[in-house]
Amino acid sequence: MEIIIQPTPEAASVIAARLIARLVREKPTAVLGLATGSTPLATYRELIRLHQTEGLDLSAVTTFNLDEYVGLPPEHPQSYHAFMQENLFRHVNIPAARTHIPNGMAKDIPWECARYEDAIRGAGGIDLQLLGIGSDGHIGFNEPTSSLASRTRIKTLTERTRQDNARFFDGDIAQVPMHCVTMGVGTIMESRAVVLLAFGENKAHAIAEACEGPITAMNPASILQMHPTAKTVIDEPASTALRKRDYYRYVFDNKPQWQRV
Ligand code: GLP
């Protein structure tokens, strides 16, 4: 796994946005896998800037989000539908019909999950998946012990994740839904490129386990060690538990020109 350590979340996010922009310029019909949470916000801000001031055209792009809470309607301010609208979609020119987010209000959740998998397949698969990571190593909402071969399905959120996310729900854990629909770990692993972002000391342990620990369902992000091109882009505080951080810096600083972002 390639690990890129940057001084600040902003610097790391510029790298993530450049990777996405480069892909879209090379392949205007790119299929992007998108994430929510606080982590990708600066990447979205940079993409919006690239669109508004540097002519990045997203009009032929298709997007698939990782996950959605079960039971929150799209208009609920904490739904991931609302999050994407507010933080990316309404500022750029991706046609609404080509943005996809699991429907957490579906009456038949297994049917919805199968439909979502079909839609990803129908679009030709995901070219680049953007990921955050939970403090327990979850990706999407694939909590520890998730099957590393799992597909889009319903999951029960852990108490810890509900606690972590309570800050978006007036600090009240009782308001955080118990269930979600999430792409599976296997679904994520089929993406042709993966960019995992993590910022802050709170993520240091999860990142060290994901990048340097054994591959284990106890830290679902650790399966990315098996992805041929996964990149992990983190800030200094998120890098503090990595044993080989000096080596990662050395690799990044000595990249051949053609490999630079
Ligand atoms: C949320 C999302 C994940 C996200 C993670 C971290 O629960 N489902 O996709 O990566 O938790 O969130 P944050 O970026 O706010 O730390």
Side-chain angles (χ1 to χ4, degrees), residues 212-234:
E212 296 178 339
I215 295 173
T216 167
M218 290 302 285
N219 179 315
S222 64
I223 192 65
L224 296 174
Q225 293 175 36
M226 294 292 288
H227 192 283
T229 63
K231 293 183 195 302
T232 296
V233 191
I234 58 181

Side-chain angles (χ1 to χ4, degrees), residues 108-143:
D108 184 342
I109 294 279
W111 181 89
E112 166 62 10
C113 296
R115 182 198 68 82
Y116 205 66
E117 287 279 330
D118 283 350
I120 294 172
R121 223 171 289 121
I126 293 171
D127 289 303
L128 185 153
Q129 176 68 55
L130 190 62
L131 291 176
I133 186 170
S135 61
D136 58 5
H138 73 244
I139 47 176
F141 264 136
N142 294 284
E143 297 284 25

Side-chain angles (χ1 to χ4, degrees), residues 12 15 24 27-28 48 50 54 63 66 80 85 146-147 173 191 198 228 239:
I15 291 184
V24 172
K27 182 182 178 185
I48 293 165
L50 290 171
E54 293 189 25
T63 68
L66 284 166
Y80 287 164
Q85 216 40 53
S146 287
S147 159
I173 189 171
S191 302
S239 77

